[in-house]
Every structure is written in structure tokens, then in C-alpha cells.
Amino acid sequence: MSIPEAPPGFRSGFSAVIGRPNVGKSTLVNRIVGEKVAITSPTAQTTRNRLRGILSRPDAQLILVDTPGIHKPHHRLGEVLVHNARTAVGDVDAVLFVVDGAEPAGSGDAFIAEGLKGLQMPLWLVLNKLDRRSPKRAEEIRASYRELVNATGVFEVSAVRGTHVKDLVEAVVARLPEGPYYFPPDLYTDQPERFIMGELIREQVLLLTREEIPHSVAVVIDRVEEGEQLTRVLATVLVERQSQKRIIVGAGGSMIKQIGTGARQQMQKLISGKVHLELFVKVKENWRQSEGALRELGYRREQ
Ligand code: GDP
Ligand code: MG
């Protein structure tokens, strides 16, 4: 993969994607990039690290920094997430502020809007989940967000269905500065495959166990062995309590088997090849409270 010379008039830049947990940021990034980059789930706050999705076209390159939801911190992991979301906004060419447009603005949105005041770059307000909005409430909902932010432009989209997402992309790209290709055009994420593999496993855990296992789960990819016919992946699912381990393993190992099957299928798509996945479950008490454990797991505090 090499980086080509940008033609005259080429536009490029970075855009932060911010918003409350669960408003559809990851879904939107995936929709724009067209490949699965960020994990999505019905439970809030699933994106832990900053994840970049890259859209490359003959005339432009847009790099989306998918951030964890900005929220009020409850414990150390929360603090790290907030810190990383804030720094993501510091050094970008555009900001996409994504909200759940099926509902009027709430205090969480107001909290974020406050943090966005005085930004110099274009700020795009994205009212997502258009497919779920009652037409009767459209005006009321629009007005509640308009009151919060003075946006460069407002788009009503459905990330799930793709409605109006192209219009949003066109507007964002049109206001990017002229610049080079930052990444090879055939790359859709700059995150190593290992990290994405871990996220795919975590996604299955969250999907299959729902509320029973909250966010006290982390995944470490212990080893990736690439063979001719098959890629062998060894990974460990870390939880905080013995009771959580029991849920994840399931009766006679039934749950971990289901998690493994789901994750393996996603991984095979990611690497376009056969995957053999071995999963282990370990209890590591209070890993969320310990800075050392966070670092070990790759949740680095970014400068
Ligand atoms: P994030 O926390 O902001 O990254 O949110 P996700 O992208 O993980 O999405 C959270 C949930 O909202 C998932 O269940 C998505 O399927 C759902 N979702 C995202 N976009 C839309 C949308 O446009 N319409 C509907 N109905 N659901 C959506
Ligand atoms: Mg997300």
C-alpha cells in the first residue's frame, strides 16, 4: 500500500465524531466508510479507544475519529474516556456532533454543546435516527438542538438506513482544507487488525449477554498465527467477577461457544480468510480502577 500524490484541488482532513453514548456515532462512521470499523451495540459506551475510519475518494480523503461518548465520569475508566474524547476535538479540521434526533435535546447534549463553544473549525450537527422520529415532533426536536449549538450545517440522517448520509459527507468534504492523502487510499482504518479483532469479540460478548455483563469486560488478543490456510487467534476475555465469568462461559461452555462463533464469523470477513479462534475467560478484579491494568489492556491515556 502506498500513498499517491494528491491531484490539484484535493481536499483532506480529520473530523472528530462526538456525542452522547448510543446516539449512533459508530454506526455513522461505519456507514460513511462502508466497512466495519467501529463496533456498535444496543448498550451504551461500547467504543473505548479512538478509532479512525478513513473515506478515500479521487477528490478527497476524510478521516473520522470515532470517539467514546463524552459523559460525566463515574470511575477511572470514565475519566480516561472523557479525556480522550476531549483531546480528539483539539486537533481536527471538522467536528460532527451526533445526537439522537428522535428525541429533543437533553442535559447530556447540553453538556457536550457547552464544551464545543468557541471552536474554530466547521461544526456539523447530525440529527441521527431519522427513521425513528415522529414527523409531528420534527420542529420541536430541531428547535431544541438549534438552541444548543450554532452549527455550520444541520443534517437529519439515519445512519442505519443511510438516509441523507451522502449529503452530510459532501458538505463536510467541501469544507475540508486542501491537503495530501494522509493514508493509502485502500486503507479504511489505521487501527491494527488485532485491536479490531478484540473489539469484534467484545461486541459479541455485549450482544449476547446484554445487561448481565456491563462494561467490565475487556479483551486481550494473546496471539495471532497466520498460516497458509488458516489464521489462529488466541484471546482472553477479562471480567471483574467470578459471577461474570460464569455468565460468559455459560452452562457447559454454551455461551462462550456462541460468542466465539459470532466473533469468528466477523473476523473471517475482516481478514477475508479462515479463522480458528480460541477464547479464554479470566477474572481480573477491579481492572477498571487500576491505571496500570488500563495501560496493560491498551486503554492508553492520550496526550
Ligand atoms: P455510539 O455509542 O454513539 O457509537 O452508538 P452506536 O453506533 O453503537 O449505536 C447505538 C445503537 O443505536 C445501536 O443499537 C444502533 O443500531 C442504533 N442506531 C444507530 N443509528 C441509528 C439510526 O439511524 N436509526 C436507528 N433506529 N437506530 C440507530
Ligand atoms: Mg460507538
Side-chain angles (χ1 to χ4, degrees):
M1 282 194 274
S2 62
I3 300 193
E5 181 102 25
F10 192 81
R11 295 185 180 280
S12 62
F14 291 75
S15 177
V17 181
I18 68 157
R20 279 192 296 117
N22 232 22
V23 294
K25 298 179 296 298
S26 300
T27 309
L28 183 65
V29 169
N30 287 336
R31 170 63 64 181
I32 291 175
V33 172
E35 298 272 357
K36 190 154 182 127
V37 175
I39 72 165
T40 60
S41 99
T43 39
Q45 229 180 286
T46 41
T47 309
R48 286 227 174 105
N49 281 289
R50 286 167 60 181
L51 204 54
R52 285 174 183 167
I54 304 168
L55 171 72
S56 297
R57 322 194 307 191
D59 61 332
Q61 187 168 63
L62 172 65
I63 301 117
L64 296 158
V65 185
D66 180 22
T67 65
I70 297 180
H71 61 113
K72 294 170 190 159
H74 294 297
H75 45 63
R76 291 205 64 82
L77 177 58
E79 281 171 39
V80 175
L81 294 181
V82 171
H83 176 86
N84 290 349
R86 288 256 168 80
T87 49
V89 183
D91 193 27
V92 290
D93 305 292
V95 174
L96 300 187
F97 178 19
V98 184
V99 301
D100 181 347
E103 300 289 334
S107 62
D109 301 299
F111 176 73
I112 295 169
E114 194 55 41
L116 294 177
K117 283 202 172 130
L119 285 184
Q120 298 304 306
M121 62 292 268
L123 169 62
W124 307 98
L125 176 60
V126 183
L127 307 188
N128 189 29
K129 309 201 183 182
L130 180 61
D131 56 294
R132 282 193 35 225
R133 187 186 71 187
S134 137
K136 278 191 216 133
R137 302 189 71 191
E139 247 331 297
E140 170 206 355
I141 291 171
R142 280 185 201 125
S144 74
Y145 289 103
R146 239 187 265 122
E147 212 168 278
L148 286 189
V149 277
N150 187 7
T152 311
V154 184
F155 289 85
E156 300 181 350
V157 311
S158 167
V160 157
R161 298 201 182 157
T163 324
H164 301 152
V165 172
K166 277 213 167 73
D167 303 335
L168 168 68
V169 171
E170 289 310 322
V172 175
V173 165
R175 291 288 300 267
L176 287 179
E178 288 199 7
Y181 277 102
Y182 289 101
F183 295 96
D186 42 3
L187 195 71
Y188 60 87
T189 175
D190 72 340
Q191 292 288 327
E193 277 178 0
R194 264 176 183 250
F195 172 72
I196 298 176
M197 285 179 174
E199 290 289 274
L200 291 173
I201 296 169
R202 219 158 57 77
E203 178 177 52
Q204 291 299 317
V205 173
L206 295 176
L207 275 175
L208 292 170
T209 62
R210 295 286 171 114
E211 299 84 27
E212 294 163 275
I213 301 294
H215 298 281
S216 42
V217 53
V219 175
V220 180
I221 302 293
D222 302 307
R223 208 153 49 167
V224 179
E225 290 166 12
E226 284 175 51
E228 294 248 318
Q229 315 282 336
L230 185 95
T231 300
R232 193 159 164 261
V233 180
L234 302 181
T236 305
V237 179
L238 286 170
V239 290
E240 287 192 316
R241 282 190 294 280
Q242 195 62 39
S243 59
Q244 296 169 333
K245 177 172 171 177
R246 270 199 298 276
I247 294 172
I248 290 191
V249 172
S254 56
M255 179 57 91
I256 192 71
K257 200 166 169 202
Q258 238 183 304
I259 291 168
T261 303
R264 185 169 53 79
Q265 284 166 352
Q266 295 287 333
M267 286 179 181
Q268 297 192 148
K269 281 190 213 153
L270 175 74
I271 66 163
S272 306
K274 265 200 164 330
V275 170
H276 173 82
L277 173 64
E278 277 176 51
L279 285 177
F280 306 91
V281 186
K282 257 196 228 161
V283 180
K284 187 160 182 161
E285 270 174 43
N286 297 326
W287 67 263
R288 281 188 300 177
Q289 308 296 333
S290 139
E291 185 99 27
L294 286 176
R295 212 175 307 120
E296 206 179 297
L297 295 173
Y299 301 128
R300 246 167 253 116
R301 191 180 248 284
E302 296 175 24
Q303 296 310 311

